[in-house]
Amino acid sequence: MTQSAEIKQTERFSFVWLLPLVTVFIGIWMLYKYQVDQGETIFIKMPSAEGITNGKTEIKVRSVKVGIISHTRLSDDQKGVIARAEIDKNYVHLLNEDAKLWLVKPRIDETGITGMTTLLSGVYIEFLPGESEFTSHHFKLLEDPPLIANDIEGGRIKLLSRDAEVIDVGSSVFYKGYKVGQVETATFDWQEQTMRYGVFLRAPYQNLATLNSVFWIHSGLEVDLNADGISIKTGSLSTMLNGGISFAVPEREKPGEIVKDGHIYSLSQDYKTALEQRYFEHDYYIIEFEQSIRGLKVGAPVEYRGTRVGTVVETPAILVVDGTPAHFMSDNTAVPVMIKIEYRRIYHQAKVAKDFWQNNAQLWIERGLRASLKPGNLLTGAVYVDLDFYPDPDPYQVRNLGNYQVFPSVSSGLSVLTNQVSETLAKINKLNVEQSLIQLNSAMNEYQQLATDMRAFINTQQTQSIPAEFATSLDKVSTSMTQFDLTMKQFAKTMADYQQGSPMYHDLNSTIEELKKLTEQLQPLTQSLNEQPNMLIFDKNAPEDLQPRSKQ
């Protein structure tokens, strides 16, 4: 009998399988090594891919390559481009979330000419690391390169402007003519109708910005025509060409506390306006003028005996009383003007000045404090409001117009002079000179008759028998009467010269007539000067002829 063979399978490891295992391991290791060597992948959103070449456009930090653009595609909304970039592993720590990226290419702007080397090498993306502790893999490409690097020491402030001219990004910031900073950003807030500027001040000049600093546009050439005359100021040639922003602490003031980053200032059109905008504590008043206010402009000074205490705000003041504009009311022909009393102009501590003014204003008005218009400059025709004390003014009752207290006023100028001359001539015309001469002539005749009677009385026999002492007295009386008689004769001769028909009477009447004619001639001149104070130098502005229009 044949025995069956027993076959046993023994487990043994085949070295043949080592080869694919090693291959898989090497592949995984190479993939890991590749990923590690690749660094980090970031995504950059940009408006377009102009100048960008996949695999060639580099990302640089201070001209050192740190990455490359590997792929570009349209964004999901098709309003931009998403670029994928690979950052070298040695520079992954630079991917702060506040890092900035922009395209370096040839540029010609207010800062100069830059990026000319890219004409040969091609454009590249400049990477400016940030300072944040958090990292990010998504960035947005800036349209313009930042002017100030994050590693430059200094401080940043903000400026708001409502009526000043627009300043470009990159414009210089000056302190006493020395460049200390630059405008970084300029945006227009359409809701607030305000220009907003971001300003960088280099260290250590950020310490010059204090709480009482004022900022204004430095155009290099400033021409000021006002009630004080003509003022022309010029700066350096570079300032005149490029312009910029200046700031300083007002004269006769000590620097205040140094501000912190992000402090907001107001930007004014010029230095004078910047100084005026400091006086934010004020009260409004209405002044009613019974004369023309031509030449009185908004911003004109309000002065007390040459010292400025306020500013004209509206001329005429737009006030509505009972549904009618205040300057067109039928029962009041005065023209209202709004002013503001600025307390820091009176005293550097506004609260002290305000209490002083409010506690004494009524007393001053009772003593004759009144407002009037005074010519400030004959060349420009500018006038200003003057506060002063006047003797025997018309009594004033405190009242309000709208929501503002009315300040009393008096008329001034050539119109007042003309009115005074007219009143004087009217009084002269009212005098009955002829009747007065007749009465004086009658009195003279009576005095002559008295002198004759006294002389006859002295020469009578009864008077001669009076004792010697009385006779001596009578002699003195006789002498006095003789002198009185001579005086009366001279007076009679003088009065005869003033009788109707005499040359003196004719000359007096002629003088009065000439004065009346002069007054009539002065009245239109006064009216014209009130309407146009500079007409003595410039031609009077003739109003345009009205052209009739059809109803269609």
Side-chain angles (χ1 to χ4, degrees):
M1 180 175 182
T2 303
Q3 294 182 346
S4 300
E6 184 178 356
I7 300 174
K8 294 183 178 179
Q9 294 181 353
T10 58
E11 295 180 359
R12 62 178 183 178
F13 177 78
S14 177
F15 290 97
V16 176
W17 294 102
L18 287 177
L19 182 60
L21 291 176
V22 171
T23 303
V24 171
F25 176 78
I26 293 175
I28 294 174
W29 181 84
M30 291 180 64
L31 180 62
Y32 171 77
K33 184 67 175 176
Y34 174 79
Q35 292 295 332
V36 170
D37 291 340
Q38 283 292 103
E40 292 285 344
T41 300
I42 64 172
F43 299 91
I44 306 172
K45 185 177 181 180
M46 56 186 67
S48 69
E50 181 183 2
I52 303 295
T53 303
N54 296 335
K56 291 185 178 181
T57 302
E58 299 177 344
I59 300 176
K60 296 182 179 181
V61 175
R62 300 183 184 274
S63 299
V64 175
K65 179 183 176 181
V66 297
I68 193 169
I69 300 295
S70 60
H71 179 71
T72 56
R73 66 176 179 84
L74 287 176
S75 61
D76 295 337
D77 58 4
Q78 299 183 1
K79 293 183 178 180
V81 174
I82 303 297
R84 185 178 65 194
E86 308 298 334
I87 302 298
D88 191 277
K89 65 177 182 178
N90 296 320
Y91 304 108
V92 172
H93 63 282
L94 300 179
L95 300 177
N96 311 97
E97 64 177 2
D98 60 343
K100 299 176 181 178
L101 296 87
W102 66 93
L103 191 65
V104 178
K105 59 183 181 179
R107 295 176 184 270
I108 301 177
D109 52 23
E110 62 277 354
T111 61
I113 302 176
T114 58
M116 298 302 294
T117 57
T118 59
L119 291 174
L120 299 177
S121 62
V123 300
Y124 64 91
I125 294 178
E126 182 72 21
F127 187 97
L128 180 63
E131 298 178 350
S132 175
E133 298 178 356
F134 302 97
T135 60
S136 177
H137 292 79
H138 294 81
F139 300 92
K140 183 178 181 179
L141 192 71
L142 301 179
E143 295 182 2
D144 298 307
L147 298 176
I148 308 297
N150 293 334
D151 57 348
I152 298 180
E153 296 184 358
R156 286 177 168 85
I157 59 175
K158 298 179 180 179
L159 302 179
L160 299 182
S161 172
R162 293 186 180 274
D163 52 4
E165 64 182 75
V166 177
I167 293 295
D168 295 328
V169 173
S171 298
S172 301
V173 178
F174 300 92
Y175 182 85
K176 294 185 176 180
Y178 182 75
K179 181 179 178 180
V180 297
Q182 226 170 0
V183 177
E184 285 187 294
T185 60
T187 57
F188 179 71
D189 187 341
W190 65 271
Q191 293 178 324
E192 298 291 336
Q193 299 291 299
T194 302
M195 283 297 301
R196 298 179 180 270
Y197 299 99
V199 174
F200 178 81
L201 300 177
R202 300 195 308 273
Y205 306 119
Q206 75 273 18
N207 298 325
L208 296 174
T210 61
L211 289 177
N212 58 339
S213 296
V214 293
F215 287 75
W216 71 95
I217 294 179
H218 195 156
S219 61
L221 177 63
E222 298 180 5
V223 180
D224 185 15
L225 296 175
N226 53 33
D228 298 327
I230 302 177
S231 176
I232 301 177
K233 296 181 180 180
T234 60
S236 62
L237 179 60
S238 61
T239 305
M240 294 179 66
L241 295 177
N242 300 324
I245 296 176
S246 291
F247 73 100
V249 175
E251 298 179 1
R252 295 178 293 182
E253 287 191 19
K254 296 181 179 179
E257 181 181 352
I258 298 175
V259 300
K260 298 180 180 179
D261 277 6
H263 187 80
I264 300 176
Y265 289 96
S266 175
L267 179 63
S268 303
Q269 179 64 33
D270 49 46
Y271 179 65
K272 180 180 178 181
T273 306
L275 292 181
E276 293 178 357
Q277 290 181 348
R278 295 179 302 157
Y279 307 112
F280 52 88
E281 294 192 34
H282 55 265
D283 280 328
Y284 292 103
Y285 290 87
I286 294 295
I287 303 177
E288 294 184 315
F289 290 106
E290 283 285 356
Q291 64 181 103
S292 173
I293 62 171
R294 186 180 181 89
L296 183 64
K297 305 296 183 181
V298 173
V302 178
E303 297 183 357
Y304 170 74
R305 296 185 174 180
T307 301
R308 183 165 184 174
V309 296
T311 304
V312 174
V313 179
E314 278 188 343
T315 168
I318 308 302
L319 300 175
V320 178
V321 180
D322 298 332
T324 305
H327 53 293
F328 285 123
M329 299 176 63
S330 58
D331 58 345
N332 187 2
T333 60
V335 181
V337 173
M338 180 180 291
I339 67 168
K340 61 179 179 180
I341 300 297
E342 298 158 318
Y343 296 114
R344 285 195 64 188
R345 295 187 185 274
I346 300 175
Y347 189 64
H348 66 277
Q349 295 184 9
K351 186 178 184 304
V352 176
K354 183 175 182 178
D355 294 339
F356 175 73
W357 173 270
Q358 293 182 346
N359 293 335
N360 293 278
Q362 184 59 35
L363 178 61
W364 295 335
I365 291 175
E366 294 175 356
R367 292 181 177 178
L369 183 65
R370 298 292 185 270
S372 63
L373 295 179
K374 294 293 182 66
N377 191 302
L378 186 60
L379 179 62
T380 62
V383 298
Y384 66 95
V385 177
D386 179 69
L387 303 180
D388 207 342
F389 288 91
Y390 291 85
D392 303 325
D394 295 336
Y396 174 74
Q397 184 66 32
V398 178
R399 63 186 182 89
N400 289 349
L401 185 62
N403 297 324
Y404 307 99
Q405 180 180 340
V406 177
F407 200 92
S409 66
V410 296
S411 298
S412 61
L414 286 177
S415 59
V416 177
L417 176 61
T418 303
N419 292 336
Q420 292 176 348
V421 173
S422 300
E423 292 175 359
T424 303
L425 292 178
K427 292 179 180 179
I428 293 176
N429 288 331
K430 291 180 181 179
L431 294 177
N432 195 342
V433 179
E434 185 175 354
Q435 183 63 29
S436 299
L437 292 177
I438 294 175
Q439 292 176 356
L440 288 174
N441 191 23
S442 176
M444 180 196 65
N445 294 332
E446 292 178 359
Y447 282 125
Q448 287 180 341
Q449 184 62 39
L450 176 61
T452 302
D453 294 341
M454 288 294 295
R455 188 178 297 105
F457 172 72
I458 293 172
N459 293 329
T460 59
Q461 184 176 0
Q462 291 81 3
T463 305
Q464 296 295 332
S465 60
I466 297 176
E469 293 82 0
F470 190 67
T472 302
S473 299
L474 287 177
D475 289 340
K476 293 180 180 180
V477 172
S478 179
T479 303
S480 299
M481 292 304 298
T482 302
Q483 293 177 352
F484 179 75
D485 188 26
L486 294 175
T487 301
M488 292 306 298
K489 289 181 179 180
Q490 181 64 36
F491 181 73
K493 182 178 181 303
T494 302
M495 294 305 299
D497 293 337
Y498 286 96
Q499 290 181 356
Q500 187 172 5
S502 64
M504 185 67 72
Y505 181 84
H506 177 71
D507 293 341
L508 179 61
N509 281 340
S510 299
T511 302
I512 294 175
E513 291 297 330
E514 290 177 359
L515 284 174
K516 290 176 63 178
K517 293 180 180 179
L518 177 61
T519 303
E520 294 174 354
Q521 294 174 356
L522 280 175
Q523 287 178 347
L525 175 62
T526 303
Q527 182 179 359
S528 299
L529 285 175
N530 284 332
E531 294 176 353
Q532 185 180 348
N534 60 354
M535 66 169 294
L536 295 178
I537 298 178
F538 301 105
D539 293 337
K540 180 175 175 59
N541 297 326
E544 297 181 358
D545 293 336
L546 297 178
Q547 298 294 331
R549 298 180 178 178
S550 64
K551 296 182 179 180
Q552 297 180 352

